[in-house]
C-alpha cells in the first residue's frame, strides 16, 4: 500500500522535497481547544509550476465510502481552519490519499 502511494504519478509532487518548503508527517496542532493530528502537511514553493504557494493537508485512508464522505469533509474543514491560522497568506487545500494511490480533494 505504501508503494502504491509513493509510486503514484498523481501523488509525486507531495513527496518531492525539491518542490516543498515544508513536509511534516503526523503534525499536531491545537485548535479551538482540540488537539488535531494531521497525517501529512506540505507547503509548496512560491514558484512551483502546479501548486505555487499552496499548503496541502493530506489524510491517509484505506478507502472512501459514500457513507463516510460527510465525516471526512467536516474533519478536513476543521483541519483547513487550523492550518489557515498558521499560514494566513497561503491557499489551504485538503485531500484524502487512498491506499490505491488516488487523491480525493475535499474543500
Amino acid at each position: 500500500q505504501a508503494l502504491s502511494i509513493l509510486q503514484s504519478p498523481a501523488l509525486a509532487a507531495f513527496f518531492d522535497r525539491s518542490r516543498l518548503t515544508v513536509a511534516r508527517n503526523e503534525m499536531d496542532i491545537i485548535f479551538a481547544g482540540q488537539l488535531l493530528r494531521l497525517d501529512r502537511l506540505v507547503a509548496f514553493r512560491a514558484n512551483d509550476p502546479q501548486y505555487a504557494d499552496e499548503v496541502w493537508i493530506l489524510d491517509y485512508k484505506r478507502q472512501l465510502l459514500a457513507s463516510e464522505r460527510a465525516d471526512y469533509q467536516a474533519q478536513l474543514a476543521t483541519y483547513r481552519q487550523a492550518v489557515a491560522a498558521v499560514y494566513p497568506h497561503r491557499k489551504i487545500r485538503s485531500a484524502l490519499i487512498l491506499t490505491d494511490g488516488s487523491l480525493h480533494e475535499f474543500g
Side-chain angles (χ1 to χ4, degrees):
Q1 294 171 343
L3 284 176
S4 291
I5 291 169
L6 293 174
Q7 294 175 349
S8 169
L11 301 176
F14 301 107
F15 299 97
D16 182 350
R17 297 199 56 78
S18 70
R19 296 177 69 177
L20 306 173
T21 59
V22 174
R24 299 277 312 266
N25 294 317
E26 296 186 6
M27 181 177 166
D28 292 338
I29 296 180
I30 295 177
F31 179 71
Q34 263 186 310
L35 176 64
L36 306 176
R37 175 162 291 155
L38 312 181
D39 289 347
R40 184 162 176 84
L41 179 130
V42 297
F44 285 88
R45 296 187 183 284
N47 63 349
D48 187 85
Q50 187 176 5
Y51 300 111
D53 217 20
E54 293 181 354
V55 175
W56 279 75
I57 303 158
L58 303 166
D59 201 60
Y60 299 111
K61 301 293 181 201
R62 289 196 189 289
Q63 59 188 355
L64 176 58
L65 302 175
S67 61
E68 299 170 326
R69 288 186 83 77
D71 289 340
Y72 292 149
Q73 177 67 31
Q75 175 188 2
L76 292 172
T78 299
Y79 288 179
R80 285 192 308 276
Q81 289 177 338
V83 170
V86 178
Y87 294 98
H89 302 295
R90 298 243 187 143
K91 181 176 182 180
I92 310 299
R93 296 173 72 179
S94 61
L96 298 181
I97 292 179
L98 304 186
T99 56
D100 64 0
S102 61
L103 180 74
H104 300 266
E105 187 171 359
F106 281 72

